[in-house]
Each structure stands twice: as structure tokens, then as C-alpha cells.
Amino acid sequence: MALADKDEAGVELRKLNWRRDRAAVLGFQYEIYETNFPGCIVDDTFIRDYSLTLRDALRNPNDSLLVLEKDGQVVGFVWMSLVSTLLDTCVGYIKNIYVAQELRGRGYGRMLLEAADEWFQTHGATKATLDASVDNEQAVGLYEHVGYRTTRLRMEKPY
Ligand SMILES: CC(C)(COP(=O)(O)OP(=O)(O)OC[C@H]1O[C@@H](n2cnc3c(N)ncnc32)[C@H](O)[C@@H]1OP(=O)(O)O)[C@@H](O)C(=O)NCCC(=O)NCCS
């Protein structure tokens, strides 16, 4: 879906507007972090720090942030970034993705990642990358569905 078009369910994909969308996007972080990092507590300090990082990203040409809107409510969000790595000078990195619970399983996560692919490719990225928690089956299922493959593993040994 092109930016600012609406689909048949009335969902629109558009750029994030700091004043209009900040509260909703910050609200998403509770589920994102507490699900993907069990034990992580999203408190006022976390939200304040995240809010500052988000505001900086809006001014950074290497970052792009899109939201999904339905009936005046923000119902999804993706934050994408261009980074360089040891091997690649320009790689796309998905920093954060969220779809409201009531709209999951309808292709909106895929839509956000396709929008990210388009932005990455038009900005010279040679590949798209992201990190995921192995226990997050919905997210990993989505990423595999749109073509991501596991290339590195982060291993842990609890004491
Ligand atoms: C991860 C998330 C963005 C997925 O959004 P979504 O809109 O439900 O995803 P989609 O409907 O586009 O799913 C597309 C594909 O992903 C796969 N998928 C979706 N849910 C799945 C599940 N529970 N198990 C396995 N695969 C799944 C399917 O292949 C699906 O394609 P299909 O519908 O044609 O079968 C959403 O679950 C979410 O916001 N989760 C909370 C936030 C979060 O954890 N973000 C990830 C941080 S790393």
C-alpha cells in the first residue's frame, strides 16, 4: 500500500507525526519490551528515554518511522534504520514493529515490513536485518514468511 492510501478496512499507512502519534507509539512499548525481554519492566524512566530516542530518530535521515492509522487511532508502527556493519556499508535494520492485537493475523505486519523493504532499497541498503526473540513465534513466523533467514545466534548460559 502506498503512503496515505487506505485499504478496504480503512487502515492507512503514513509517516509518524511526533505530536499526534507519540503517546500511542510509547504505549506499544509495554507489550513489545515486556514480551520480548521477559523480566524487563517498562516504567516511566524507560518511556522517557525511549521518547527522547524516538524524537532524535525523527530528525535523523538514516531513520524512518511509519504508523498505521484506523478511525483516527494509531494501530501499528515500524521503525527502520540504515546502519553499517563489519561487512556491509549500508544495511537496513528493523528496530521496532508493532500491530495492535485486534488487527493481528491480517497482513499488517507484512505490510509494514514491505514498506521497510521499499525504503531500504531506495536508500541503497543491500539487505534487511533484525533481531528477534526465539520465543516470539508470531514475529519469527512473520519474518520468515517475508524472507528473513537466521544467520547468527545469540547464546546464553544461565548461572
Ligand atoms: C509480530 C507482529 C508485528 C505480527 O503482525 P501481524 O500483523 O499479526 O502479522 P501478519 O498478519 O502480517 O503475518 C504475516 C505472516 O506471519 C506469519 N505469522 C503470523 N502470526 C504467526 C504465528 N502466530 N505463528 C507463526 N507464523 C505467524 C504467517 O506466515 C503470516 O502469514 P499468513 O497470514 O499468510 O499465514 C505482531 O504480532 C505484534 O505486533 N506483536 C507484538 C510486538 C512484537 O513482538 N514485535 C516484534 C518485536 S521483535
Side-chain angles (χ1 to χ4, degrees):
M1 182 164 71
L3 283 190
D5 282 352
K6 277 190 184 161
D7 70 3
E8 59 287 350
V11 176
E12 178 189 346
L13 180 66
R14 62 167 173 78
K15 288 192 174 183
L16 185 147
N17 177 294
W18 171 249
R19 288 194 184 173
R20 214 166 130 190
D21 307 327
R22 175 182 49 174
V25 168
L26 292 176
F28 298 157
Q29 304 312 316
Y30 292 88
E31 185 189 350
I32 293 174
Y33 279 89
E34 290 181 0
T35 304
N36 289 286
F37 300 95
C40 169
I41 295 170
V42 176
D43 57 12
D44 289 351
T45 307
F46 181 105
I47 290 293
R48 197 172 51 243
D49 290 349
Y50 191 93
S51 175
L52 293 173
T53 315
L54 194 66
R55 196 188 57 189
D56 288 346
L58 283 168
R59 301 182 180 131
N60 188 337
N62 288 325
D63 286 87
S64 175
L65 299 108
L66 300 177
V67 295
L68 292 170
E69 181 179 318
K70 182 175 168 31
D71 302 329
Q73 302 287 320
V74 178
V75 291
F77 157 72
V78 65
W79 179 355
M80 60 204 103
S81 199
L82 297 170
V83 297
S84 60
T85 68
L86 266 180
L87 298 175
D88 302 276
T89 50
C90 185
V91 168
Y93 182 68
I94 303 292
K95 283 193 163 176
N96 212 324
I97 181 167
Y98 183 88
V99 173
Q101 291 180 4
E102 67 276 14
L103 289 176
R104 289 186 193 158
R106 299 192 201 175
Y108 290 114
R110 187 171 59 228
M111 179 190 290
L112 291 171
L113 290 176
E114 283 169 359
D117 282 336
E118 194 179 325
W119 190 77
F120 288 151
Q121 287 176 285
T122 56
H123 288 78
T126 49
K127 63 175 82 154
T129 61
L130 50 78
D131 292 301
S133 301
V134 284
D135 291 337
N136 191 343
E137 290 175 10
Q138 273 183 317
V140 173
L142 164 64
Y143 303 149
E144 289 180 339
H145 188 81
V146 300
Y148 287 83
R149 295 292 172 259
T150 304
T151 54
R152 293 179 61 78
L153 295 173
R154 180 188 178 93
M155 302 176 76
E156 291 184 1
K157 183 175 76 166
Y159 292 123

